[in-house]
Every structure is written in C-alpha cells, then in structure tokens.
C-alpha cells in the first residue's frame, strides 16, 4: 500500500470536493495514482510565441503574449457571453467565451499582461479566438517548453479543467512525488532495456524537460504496462499448466505409422511437421494440452488434426472433431473416412440431422469405446453424448466457439482431454500473445506446394458486362463460381433485396439450360440451405449466389472464381476468408471485388490490401491497424485489458519484447522468490488480486 498514491484526489491543491466528484465521474480519477496515470496524449511546444499578425497564416493554435485591453459581457443566462480585445505589438484580436463566463470574469482583468493560447478562426473579415487558455504573465511556467495535452470532457472544461487545467493539476502533483513512488522493475531489467526509473517517468511524462525525456518516459511507462500484463498472463498460464494433468500418449504405433507411411497422400509441409512435433511433445509430457493452431485457409490444418487424433487412438483413447456447421462436419467426415480407409479405425458422424435410431446406436458405441473417432457439430456437446475414454478434442474454426463450449468438452472425461483449437483467421501476433495468453500457439505459416496464387482484382459497376463475360468463359471451361453479397443485420431486408435483384440479373444473363444457379441466404430453412449447397458441391449448379453463410470452411475444389459484391462493405478478414473458398483445386483461380465508384478511404485500403497480398498474417496486421484491437477481439475483452498508454495495434514490437522479458524472469524464478524480483512479486500479486476471474480471457 502506498498512502501517497491512494490519497483521494480532492486533497490535491486546486481540486476540492466538487471538482473531485466530476473528475471521478468523467474520467474515473479518484486518487493521486489515477491522476498520475491520466497521461497526456501529445505535447505542444510552449516555448515559442507567435504574433497576432500571424493569425491568418497558422492553422495550429497560437501562443501570444500581450495585454487584454478590454472586456465586455453581453446577454444573460444561457446566452451570456464575454468578449475581450487582446493586443500585442503586431495588432489586435478578439477573444470570446460562450461558456464558463462567470469563472473567466473572476479570474482575468483588463489592463494586464497575459499569455494566450488558442486557435484563431476567421469570422467575417476579422479573426477571433474562442475559449483561449489565459495565464497571467507572471504565472507562466517558462522552465519547460513542452506541455502535455490531456483528454478532458465538456463538463470538466466548464469547471476550468480543460486540457490546460488538467496539465496544471498533473504538474502540481508530480512536483510533490519525490521519494514517494516505489520502483516496480528490478534494476537489471531497467538496465537491460535502458528504462528510466518510475518516479522520473511520471515526472517527465507530465512535465517533460525535453522531447527526448518525454520519449523516455513514454517508453518506460509503456514497457511497464505491457511487461506486467505479460507477466500476469504467463504466470497464470504457468500455474494452471503446472496443475493440469493430462493424458499421456507414449506410443506411436500401428495406425499412426500405417497412415504416415502408406496413406498420406503427399509429403507434409515443413510447417505441418513442426506443429505435429509441438503437439507430440505436449501429449507425451503428462501435462494437459490447450493449444491454438493458426493457419491460413488451405494451409492443411485438417491433416495435422487427424494426426493428433491418431496419437490418441493409438494409445486406446477416443478422439473427437467439432466443426461449426453441418456442411463442414460432413466434409470432414467424408475426407477423413477416405483417408482412413483400410485402417482399422471406426469413424462416425454426429450432427443435428442424425436420426434418433442411429444416434442411440452411436451413443452406445461411444460409451463402450468401440467408436474411435467422432466427427460432428455442436450436437456432440450434449450431455447424452458420453465417451468411454475421450483423449483428444479438435475444434475447427475457433471463432464460433465460446469458452463455455470449450469447457464442456473438458468435462467429458475424468481428466480433461487434450484440446486443439484450429482457426483460419490469422490473429496478429501481438493480439494472440495477449488475448490467448492462456493457450499455447502453433502456427502453420506455409502453404502446401503447387498452390497457384489467386488473381485478385477490383472492378466497379461500369465493368460488370466484362465480368459477366469472364464468368461465361470460366463456366465454359467447366468451372464453378461463387457470387457473395453482404448481409448486415440492421439492413437485412435491404440486403436481401440486393441479393434477389442480383440473382435476377444473373438469371437473365445466364439463362437455363446452359447455366444452373444455386442460391443460399440466411432467411432460408437450414434444410433448404443445405440442399442448395449440396447441389453446388456436387457440381449440379455452376453458380452459387449467396450471402456470407458460405464463409466458413466449405471446400469445392472445382470453384475457381469468387465474386464479392459490395466488397467495400466487408471487413478485411471476411474478404480474406471468402477468397480462401477458391484456389483449392488445380485450376487458376480468381477473386473479383466489386464496389461502387465512391468508397471510403478505409474501404479502399482494405481492397488494395486484398489485391496486393494473399498472406493472411499481413492482412491481419493491416486489419488491426484499421480497426484496432477492440473491434477485432471484442471491445469487452479489450476493455478488460485496461491499457492506459500502450497500444496493441501500434506497439507490436514492444509487446514481444515485454513478453520475452517477462518469460525470461519466470523461467529463472517462477515463484519470484529471488530478492531482486521481490518488487515484481509485489505488483504482480496486486494485479492478480484485482482480477481473480481473468484467467480465461480467451
Ligand atoms: P485448412 O487449413 O484450410 O483447413 P485443409 O486442411 O482443408 O486446409 O487443406 C486444404 C487442402 O490442402 C486439402 O485439399 C488438403 O488435402 C491439402 N493438403 C494438406 N496438406 C497438404 C500437403 N502437405 N501437401 C499437399 N496438399 C496438402
Ligand atoms: Mg479447415
């Protein structure tokens, strides 16, 4: 406990109970520590002065020195305003206040010299500065040119706590902190990363001596924030890892070898091999595996999953694979059954469509252990589905699975089965390290050889005839085509109209009997959807007109063209997922992004990125830059992190550095028992106590 830091903010000079309440309500600042951690988001150089005559040439705020020659109030109540004439040797300019007039009148008077700071705007033929900051010349702080700019709110500004007012409070506070801030990082860490000490950092961030010191302060505080976040995550993970016992699969016998040597249809890529080794290490180690497997669409995750499941089966355990949709479950079942043909392994499919009779038989076979491998949808999670000895669970397309569902699988055996979660939406490294801190992460960063790049282009409405012409050529070559329309909840009916109009236009341009068209959208019954989907999968139709329901995992190798309508309305990761539906067969594939002429800057950036690259991780990085972590991971999760100064989108490299630093310390001293790590332990335990339920942020 630090009494100084916990001092209620109202006891800071210049605050008082009224402002204290407002600070708490508006910015969550209730004690000294909170104010110290309300950092400026930029600085202005207050050592330079301009002249009134500069007003027409400057689009940044002016800092002036001169006299207020007169002051005048007009109006009453809400329309009360105050105007003044300010003068320096170059000329005169009007100052005006619409709000907080009474407060200003009390604090300034005509005839004195002031420092004025504010942006000049042109009204009619002359310039005016509205709501300038006004400081009596004798009170101007001339020791530092740099002044912090703080975020404030209208209500606070009304009470004199605009950015300048907040800066004054912060400066006043840091003037008193000498000797009162406990260092939180051990000396060796500070030395290694060239970090100034915490007290200096607080002083310099609020009242920097120079630009360089401001930079050092920011670096120290960002490091601090990210380092303790990573220390917390790694510590939680390490502790749960130490505790969680897992099944041991020591043998790699018949099935595995037979599959690997005889059935594997191609050589594994280096990346696939690397991940299989990682999984293997987990399952012979005696600890519970909880692993996230990231790999771009088409990178061959299924095969890795299958091999992981064979490890369990070879050791007389059962395995299960869960897919987010029935179509995907069917595809996995077909593909895996074919791969395992001739091996003595019983594979079954369980989905919502499985008949009751079949289901009962299956339940029995799962309980007796006769069934080795179960593939299915959410149906698999139901309590009636009990296993003899479930040892490995693979969850495909993690995005549709919540923590609650994950934990349901845990309870399907006395010891939780090993869990492998596969996602095709690459998550930028910094986010994965932070949001999936409790999972081990494996990455397949290599596509199987021979994949032809997908040619991606951007087209607009005036080029539609050409696009249709191209479609006809492709169909003549025997290929199939997807046309995808956006579907956003708020305008669902509008989108449905778009889809219908599109469908009609396509039907007119691609008449029967030469062209057959499937259509799938969210308003259809699952059974009808599936029927239409299957027609396309089987090659009975050449064109699939759909909303984004086809986004997840569908595999139609003969489909070689993906056309995305209103591409400007899709997010980057969605565009990338959609494009991944083509390029799965031997044929050259294409992705055409249709948009209107006029699109936003961001939409343009998304489309340009898609045209430029096919690298899912690169796309994920751009996505992070555009949307920010809150949008990608969910604002709630991001909010839980409560970052004050570091920015996961911009400080990626520092996240890695902080994680490595935290890991090095824990590897050497997990319990933080060494004397030099005592300071870490103190702060870490404070953090752990403050969010006890935060272990499973993923
Ligand atoms: P995803 O990672 O998107 O789930 P899949 O597992 O569906 O990818 O694999 C995509 C395609 O690549 C499949 O047809 C699969 O058979 C093939 N594939 C997987 N691994 C290899 C490999 N090492 N060499 C060649 N083809 C492979
Ligand atoms: Mg897949």
């Amino acid at each position: 406990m630090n009494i100084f830091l916990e001092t209620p903010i109202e006891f800071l000079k210049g605050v008082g109970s009224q402002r204290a309440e407002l600070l708490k309500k508006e910015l969550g600042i209730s004690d000294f520590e909170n104010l110290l951690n309300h950092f400026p988001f930029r600085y202005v150089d207050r050592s330079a002065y301009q002249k009134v005559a500069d007003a027409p040439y400057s689009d940044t705020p002016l800092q002036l020195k001169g006299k207020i020659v007169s002051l005048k109030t007009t109006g009453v109540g809400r329309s009360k305003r105050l105007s003044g004439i300010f003068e320096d040797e170059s000329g005169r300019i009007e100052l005006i206040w619409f709000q907080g007039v009474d407060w200003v009148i009390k604090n300034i008077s005509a005839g004195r010299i002031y420092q004025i700071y504010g942006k000049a705007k042109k009204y009619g033929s002359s310039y005016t500065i509205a709501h300038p900051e006004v400081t009596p010349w004798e009170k101007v702080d001339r020791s530092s040119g740099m002044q912090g700019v703080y975020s404030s709110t209208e209500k606070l500004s009304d009470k004199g706590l605009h950015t300048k007012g907040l800066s004054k409070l912060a400066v006043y506070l840091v003037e008193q902190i000498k000797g009162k801030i406990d260092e939180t990082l051990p000396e060796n860490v500070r030395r290694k990363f060239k970090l100034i000490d915490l007290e200096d950092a607080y002083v310099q961030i609020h009242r920097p001596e120079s630009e360089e010191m401001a930079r050092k302060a920011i670096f120290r505080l960002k490091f601090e924030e990210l380092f303790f976040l990573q220390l917390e995550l790694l510590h939680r993970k390490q502790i749960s890892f130490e505790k969680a016992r897992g099944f041991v699969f020591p043998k790699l016998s018949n099935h595995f070898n037979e599959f690997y040597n005889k059935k594997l249809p191609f050589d594994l890529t280096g990346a696939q091999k690397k991940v299989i080794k990682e999984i293997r290490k987990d399952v012979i180690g005696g600890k519970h595996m909880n692993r996230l497997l990231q790999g771009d669409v088409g990178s061959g995750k299924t095969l890795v999953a299958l091999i992981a499941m064979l490890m369990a089966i070879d050791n007389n355990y059962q395995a299960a694979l869960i897919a987010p949709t029935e179509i995907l479950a069917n595809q996995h079942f077909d593909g895996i059954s074919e791969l395992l043909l001739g091996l003595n392994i019983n594979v079954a499919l369980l989905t919502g469509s499985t008949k009751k009779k079949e289901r009962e038989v299956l339940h029995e076979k799962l309980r007796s252990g006769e069934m080795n491998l179960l593939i299915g949808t959410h149906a698999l999670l139901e309590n009636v589905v009990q296993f003899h000895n479930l040892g490995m669970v693979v969850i495909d397309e993690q995005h549709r699975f919540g923590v609650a569902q994950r934990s349901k699988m845990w309870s399907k055996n006395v010891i939780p089965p090993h869990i492998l979660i596969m996602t095709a939406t690459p998550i930028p490294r910094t986010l994965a390290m932070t949001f999936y801190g409790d999972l081990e992460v494996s990455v397949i960063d290599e596509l199987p050889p021979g994949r032809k790049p997908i040619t991606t282009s951007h087209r607009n409405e005036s080029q539609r005839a050409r696009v249709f012409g191209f479609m006809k050529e492709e169909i003549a070559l025997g290929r199939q085509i997807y046309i995808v329309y956006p579907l956003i909840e708020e305008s669902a009916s509008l989108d449905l109209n778009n889809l219908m109009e599109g469908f009609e236009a396509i039907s007119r341009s691609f008449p029967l009997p030469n062209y057959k068209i499937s259509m799938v959208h969210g308003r259809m019954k699952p059974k009808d959807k599936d029927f239409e989907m299957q027609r396309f999968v089987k090659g009975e139709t050449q064109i699939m007109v759909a909303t984004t329901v086809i986004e997840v995992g569908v595999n139609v190798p003969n489909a070689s063209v993906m056309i995305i309508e209103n591409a400007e309305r899709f997010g980057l990761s969605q565009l990338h997922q959609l494009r991944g539906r083509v390029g799965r067969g031997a044929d050259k594939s294409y992705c055409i992004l249709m948009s209107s002429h006029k699109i936003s800057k961001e939409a343009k950036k998304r489309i340009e990125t898609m045209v430029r690259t096919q690298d899912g991780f690169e796309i994920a990085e751009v996505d992070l830059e555009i949307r920010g972590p809150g949008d990608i991971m969910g604002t709630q999760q991001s909010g839980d992190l409560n970052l004050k100064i570091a920015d996961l989108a911009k400080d990626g490299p520092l996240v890695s550095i902080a994680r490595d630093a935290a890991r090095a310390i824990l590897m050497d001293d997990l319990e933080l028992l060494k004397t030099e790590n005592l300071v870490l332990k103190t702060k870490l335990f404070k953090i752990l106590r403050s969010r006890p339920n935060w272990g499973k942020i993923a």
Side-chain angles (χ1 to χ4, degrees):
M1 199 168 110
N2 183 318
I3 293 171
F4 176 77
L5 290 176
E6 288 173 21
T7 311
I9 197 68
E10 66 170 300
F11 297 121
L12 185 68
K13 194 179 121 187
V15 179
S17 61
Q18 225 190 28
R19 282 176 159 190
E21 205 158 296
L22 212 52
L23 278 169
K24 181 159 185 203
K25 223 168 87 198
E26 298 283 299
L27 297 173
I29 296 173
S30 60
D31 61 18
F32 285 7
E33 184 167 16
N34 297 149
L35 180 61
L36 278 180
N37 286 306
H38 186 64
F39 301 121
F41 57 88
R42 66 183 172 88
Y43 296 94
V44 288
D45 180 1
R46 300 299 292 265
S47 62
Y49 283 83
Q50 294 82 40
K51 298 268 180 260
V52 166
D54 294 328
Y57 313 107
S58 168
D59 49 8
T60 53
L62 297 171
Q63 179 160 270
L64 308 169
K65 179 193 173 188
K67 195 195 286 180
I68 293 185
V69 276
S70 64
L71 284 167
K72 184 173 84 190
T73 52
T74 54
V76 284
R78 285 188 136 266
S79 58
K80 191 169 182 178
R81 36 175 84 181
L82 172 68
S83 69
I85 302 296
F86 176 87
E87 171 188 85
D88 68 6
E89 58 275 24
S90 76
R92 290 183 162 199
I93 192 165
E94 187 186 16
L95 311 177
I96 190 152
W97 288 265
F98 307 99
Q99 282 161 5
V101 169
D102 294 335
W103 191 86
V104 181
I105 292 173
K106 246 189 271 164
N107 288 282
I108 62 175
S109 46
R112 288 172 61 186
I113 305 289
Y114 288 95
Q115 178 202 65
I116 302 289
Y117 183 78
K119 214 166 154 175
K121 281 214 179 93
K122 195 170 180 180
Y123 289 100
S125 61
S126 60
Y127 281 82
T128 299
I129 302 178
H131 289 262
E133 289 173 22
V134 179
T135 317
W137 185 249
E138 62 280 6
K139 287 200 186 154
V140 170
D141 171 16
R142 267 151 289 176
S143 61
S144 161
M146 304 237 321
Q147 190 182 82
V149 180
Y150 295 79
S151 58
S152 180
T153 67
E154 214 179 301
K155 282 188 183 150
L156 281 168
S157 300
D158 281 354
K159 293 273 176 263
L161 293 180
H162 34 59
T163 175
K164 176 82 182 283
L166 286 171
S167 163
K168 249 162 94 176
L169 290 185
V171 166
Y172 189 70
L173 181 58
V174 297
E175 274 165 5
Q176 315 171 37
I177 66 174
K178 195 152 184 49
K180 302 212 169 86
I181 304 291
D182 304 322
E183 181 51 59
T184 49
L185 293 173
E187 223 236 296
N188 57 1
V189 174
R190 274 181 287 146
R191 198 162 354 101
K192 182 163 176 204
F193 296 100
K194 299 198 170 61
L195 302 169
I196 60 175
D197 64 39
L198 188 58
E199 189 174 296
D200 279 350
Y202 277 128
V203 173
Q204 295 295 336
I205 197 160
H206 290 293
R207 187 189 209 280
E209 271 161 31
S210 61
E211 239 178 284
E212 196 199 344
M213 284 313 291
R215 245 196 324 272
K216 284 188 173 165
I218 291 168
F219 184 73
R220 155 75 210 228
L221 291 163
K222 280 186 175 178
F223 184 94
E224 167 106 4
E225 188 163 56
L226 294 171
F227 174 83
F228 277 100
L229 179 60
Q230 294 299 334
L231 192 70
E232 175 188 4
L233 289 165
L234 291 168
H235 187 266
R236 286 187 194 277
K237 173 157 104 181
Q238 200 58 35
I239 293 296
S240 63
F241 182 71
E242 295 284 316
K243 272 195 281 199
R245 220 153 42 91
F247 295 118
V248 185
F249 303 156
K251 287 183 288 190
L252 277 189
S253 45
N254 312 349
H255 296 128
F256 184 93
N257 290 329
E258 207 179 330
F259 177 76
Y260 202 93
N261 298 328
K262 296 203 195 123
K263 308 283 304 187
L264 199 60
F266 26 64
D267 290 334
L268 292 175
T269 62
Q272 283 171 320
K273 284 186 192 156
K274 176 193 75 189
V275 174
I276 289 166
K277 272 193 201 132
E278 286 166 353
I279 294 170
R280 171 104 182 104
K281 215 172 133 199
D282 285 350
V283 300
I284 57 178
K287 297 279 157 46
H288 176 241
M289 178 175 84
N290 209 3
R291 189 172 279 282
L292 176 72
L293 171 55
Q294 291 194 56
D296 223 332
V297 260
S299 60
K301 293 185 293 295
T302 318
L303 210 56
V304 171
L306 179 58
I307 288 173
M309 294 191 291
L310 288 178
M311 292 177 195
I313 294 169
D314 262 342
N315 289 273
N316 298 317
Y317 288 90
Q318 292 163 296
L321 169 64
I322 310 177
T325 64
E326 210 162 314
I327 296 173
L328 268 180
N330 282 323
Q331 277 193 356
H332 277 314
F333 178 72
D334 293 343
I336 288 175
S337 303
E338 199 182 312
L339 283 169
L340 296 183
L341 213 64
L343 266 64
N344 189 19
I345 294 177
N346 296 323
V347 189
L349 176 69
L350 176 63
T351 68
S353 314
T354 310
K355 298 262 160 21
K356 189 154 175 270
K357 267 241 177 68
E358 267 176 75
R359 217 179 259 243
E360 278 160 7
V361 177
L362 180 57
H363 287 167
E364 188 42 46
K365 286 184 176 168
L366 287 168
R367 266 195 302 270
S368 72
E370 186 185 335
M371 191 53 67
N372 307 106
L373 206 176
L374 181 63
I375 295 169
T377 55
H378 293 62
L380 216 146
L381 296 167
E382 286 166 22
N383 286 332
V384 289
V385 183
Q386 292 295 329
F387 292 81
H388 174 64
N389 203 3
L390 182 63
M392 171 74 71
V393 175
V394 178
I395 302 174
D396 197 8
E397 307 292 354
Q398 170 268 342
H399 273 282
R400 312 243 166 150
F401 267 83
V403 193
Q405 284 160 321
R406 245 208 279 159
S407 64
K408 266 197 161 173
M409 290 315 292
W410 284 53
S411 56
K412 295 226 179 250
N413 207 340
V414 252
I415 291 181
H418 294 299
I419 300 211
L420 180 68
I421 299 161
M422 306 197 292
T423 170
T425 311
I427 303 160
R429 242 171 72 77
T430 49
L431 294 194
M433 275 190 287
T434 310
F435 289 95
Y436 296 100
D438 70 324
L439 305 181
E440 296 294 332
V441 179
S442 288
V443 178
I444 303 188
D445 49 7
E446 179 186 356
L447 290 179
R451 288 284 159 81
K452 297 193 190 74
I454 301 166
T455 303
T456 303
S457 46
H458 180 197
R459 298 277 178 267
N460 58 49
E461 210 44 51
S462 60
Q463 294 159 309
R464 184 166 295 276
R466 258 176 60 199
V467 172
F468 277 3
F470 174 71
M471 287 168 63
K472 285 182 176 159
E473 287 166 24
E474 285 292 301
I475 292 172
L477 292 170
R479 318 273 189 266
Q480 287 166 284
I481 295 174
Y482 291 107
I483 305 180
V484 178
Y485 286 81
L487 186 70
I488 295 172
E489 282 308 322
E490 309 100 68
S491 57
S493 57
L494 188 77
D495 285 321
L496 197 61
N497 286 344
N498 277 347
L499 177 77
M500 292 303 174
E501 273 168 30
F503 178 70
E504 270 158 32
I506 292 155
S507 306
R508 272 195 308 276
S509 309
F510 296 85
L512 285 164
N514 291 342
Y515 306 97
K516 295 191 199 69
I517 306 173
S518 289
M519 178 164 68
V520 173
H521 58 78
R523 298 255 174 114
M524 288 163 76
K525 292 208 187 75
K527 224 180 71 201
D528 300 338
K529 228 190 290 187
D530 222 53
F531 177 78
E532 281 293 292
M533 202 69 215
Q534 287 303 338
R535 289 210 306 151
F536 187 69
V537 172
K538 289 184 201 141
E540 291 167 13
T541 58
Q542 293 90 35
I543 301 177
M544 163 59 83
V545 178
T547 53
T548 44
V549 286
I550 59 144
E551 190 184 335
V552 172
V554 190
N555 193 22
V556 183
N558 192 47
S560 64
V561 181
M562 167 62 68
I563 297 175
I564 303 176
E565 297 286 345
N566 298 111
E568 72 272 25
R569 287 180 45 194
F570 288 87
L572 253 181
S573 70
Q574 225 179 356
L575 289 172
H576 180 61
Q577 287 292 306
L578 286 169
R579 178 168 59 185
R581 299 304 116 216
V582 297
R584 304 189 146 225
D587 308 310
K588 171 102 195 72
S589 295
Y590 303 87
C591 175
I592 302 174
L593 305 170
M594 302 293 297
S595 84
S596 41
H597 270 289
K598 265 203 176 149
I599 56 177
S600 72
K601 229 170 87 188
E602 282 185 2
K604 207 168 185 173
K605 182 156 188 189
R606 290 195 294 266
I607 291 176
E608 277 167 10
T609 305
M610 286 294 294
V611 171
R612 182 186 75 236
T613 180
Q614 234 175 291
D615 178 336
F617 283 91
E618 190 180 335
I619 290 171
E621 296 292 342
V622 178
D623 199 27
L624 175 61
E625 210 180 288
I626 296 178
R627 291 201 291 155
D631 258 11
I632 293 180
M633 304 306 300
T635 11
Q636 202 184 341
Q637 284 195 357
S638 283
D640 282 346
L641 292 181
N642 199 16
L643 294 179
K644 297 238 165 16
I645 186 164
D647 178 340
L648 291 178
K650 295 191 183 118
D651 297 321
L654 194 54
V655 177
S656 303
I657 291 169
R659 186 174 178 90
D660 290 346
R663 185 189 284 125
I665 287 172
L666 290 176
M667 292 251 278
D668 172 56
D669 182 15
L670 176 63
E671 311 274 344
L672 300 176
L673 296 173
K674 292 192 174 171
T675 332
E676 75 247 35
N677 291 334
L678 203 67
V679 287
L680 293 179
K681 191 172 178 169
T682 310
K683 178 154 178 177
L684 176 64
F685 277 57
K686 194 174 149 202
I687 295 171
L688 292 173
R689 272 197 310 275
S690 73
R691 37 188 184 199
N693 301 321
W694 202 64
K696 288 267 180 294
I697 191 171

